[in-house]
Amino acid sequence: MRFRLSLTALAVAAGLVVAPTVAIAQADQQASDGVSKVLASEGAGFNTAAVQSLLNRGDAAVAAGNLAEARKDYDNARAAAKQLLAFYRDLSGAFRGLDARIPREMDSKGRAALGLLAQANLRLAALFRRQNQPEVAVPVLVEVVRLMTPSQPEGQKAYQSLLELGFVETPFAAAKAGGN
């Protein structure tokens, strides 16, 4: 009986010690969520939504005829997408084999960043073509084909632009089959 009483007292004491610790941890998590989520905000964060925002700003600048501003926005979108892609790949690799959820999330975010990088490159190449600088557009278009492969719509569009510029001569037949 005495042993049971001691065990009960020990359990109650442990509960009193652990309960505040859990409450503090939950409060810390809630407080840190407000701070850590800053990078996830759409307009000012460091994420795919921020890259998309830069692309949209570049599109608006092109529509307004401000090609220098558009180039700056597209260059910034391209650089941010490349950084995001590298960071997502690094994190995916670091957690591979440890927690499958994290690599899956990072791979998904990486694919989104890759798509935005391709979009930024295509828009930048179109801007170079508009400014009669096809030689500057070629490396950007080749990068799109390399990143997205010719089986993806972005890769097909980039290859078609290379064909239109005369950099390549052989049409990609799968582009016609994929477009139907």
Side-chain angles (χ1 to χ4, degrees), residues 64-85:
N66 189 348
L67 301 184
E69 185 67 28
R71 179 169 181 185
K72 187 176 115 186
D73 289 333
Y74 293 151
D75 280 338
N76 288 338
R78 188 173 181 233
K82 281 183 176 185
Q83 283 185 318
L84 284 173
L85 183 60

Side-chain angles (χ1 to χ4, degrees), residues 42-129:
E42 279 195 25
F46 186 53
N47 55 41
T48 55
V51 175
Q52 184 62 55
S53 177
L54 285 167
L55 290 174
N56 294 342
R57 282 184 15 205
D59 293 345
V62 166
N66 189 348
L67 301 184
E69 185 67 28
R71 179 169 181 185
K72 187 176 115 186
D73 289 333
Y74 293 151
D75 280 338
N76 288 338
R78 188 173 181 233
K82 281 183 176 185
Q83 283 185 318
L84 284 173
L85 183 60
F87 292 152
Y88 291 146
R89 282 182 178 163
D90 287 347
L91 285 172
S92 177
F95 283 93
R96 201 151 313 276
L98 299 174
D99 185 341
R101 297 169 305 151
I102 295 170
R104 254 185 259 127
E105 176 190 351
M106 294 303 109
D107 291 348
S108 175
K109 289 182 177 212
R111 282 189 298 278
L114 186 63
L116 288 170
L117 175 57
Q119 289 299 318
N121 282 349
L122 287 170
R123 288 177 175 145
L124 198 54
L127 183 69
F128 291 143
R129 289 182 70 183

Side-chain angles (χ1 to χ4, degrees), residues 159-160 163 168-176:
Y159 189 80
Q160 182 61 36
L163 186 67
V168 296
E169 297 174 10
T170 306
F172 181 50
K176 293 176 186 161

